[in-house]
Amino acid sequence: MIPRALCALALALALSPPLIGARPGGPPVDLARLMADEPAPTLGDYHLFGDPGPRDPAPTLTPYGLNTPLFSDYAQKERYLYLPPGAAARYTSQGALGFPVGATLIKTFAYPADLRAPREKVRFIETRLLIRKAAGWTALTYVWNDAQTQAVLKKAGLRVPVSFIDAAGAARAVDYQVPNLNQCKACHALNGAIVPIGPKARNLDGEFAYAEGAENQLAHWSRLGLLTGAPAPGAVSALPRWDDPAAPIEGRARAYLDVNCGHCHNPGGLASNSGLYLTFEEARPSALGIGKRPVAAGRGSGGLAVSIEPGHPERSILIYRMASTEPGVMMPQIGRTVAHQEGLEVVRAYVAGLAAATPAKGE
């Protein structure tokens, strides 16, 4: 079971206004700089924010949230969409929305001193940009200095020690990993191209606390002309919230695996040769790992026989790798340095509740 304190914190973050406000004026976003072949040396060069720290977004930035986000060592995240004037994203029923050239996805990773007070004493670690150019998406990472006055382009990656109080009131320390450029490309790869992971219609189909009031995000974007072709709210098969105790455990676990693992474990992803496909759309039990033997057994299997043994999380490779922090064993391999115990408990409960299955022939 997920601790009640964590559930309350997650709900508060989902329904509260974003950490960042909206500035009434200031220079417009520098679209030409975003589209330039060479990335800007500092985040401020793009005029996405009007203050030294990323608290004051340009009026043309739209905040958004995800029903189930990627786990990143308990980091708090603020997400924004920028679209060029007059441009709109296109609704798609599967995969990321169809974003136009010039679209920029902005995500800041931060840690409050105490997760129970998510708006107080916040330390910004990095801001990532995913920019849609004519030739495809470009991923960039900007790391904030200790004074929190400037974020500088970082291509080689970095480890940043971070300390905080967790949702249960315990002191925690993580060795936060800023990804290098190759790691960004690995996670965002689909059929050899870089693509967004989070902003899919089903993961955006939920309420967000905008400054003018809470509204379904797809409806909000459609009303403002930022999205075309979207059906009415409720017509989309929304991705469940992994931390919603009122939702069925299978949907919560499948949502968690989709977001944290499915970007690699799909037919066009980096782990396509594994035959283990963890996207929310996947329906074949064997592809989901149920009774499935690994393509290549090694120390990553922990001496276990199948990815998921129904009713037995302790005998499932999937659980073993999610619980590990050992390089070469842990899954996901990129984006975390500690095990996400709360998410792990949801997936354990899902596996424990599965009925016995017969492995497919040839596996």
Side-chain angles (χ1 to χ4, degrees), residues 275-302:
L276 179 64
Y277 303 144
L278 298 174
T279 59
F280 198 71
E281 296 87 355
E282 183 57 64
R284 296 167 295 172
S286 178
L288 288 168
I290 299 174
K292 183 185 184 307
R293 297 185 180 277
V295 172
R299 67 189 182 95
S301 70

Side-chain angles (χ1 to χ4, degrees), residues 115 125 176 180 191 228 266 281 305 327:
L115 296 186
I125 306 298
Y176 181 88
N180 61 45
N191 296 318
T228 62
N266 68 77
E281 296 87 355

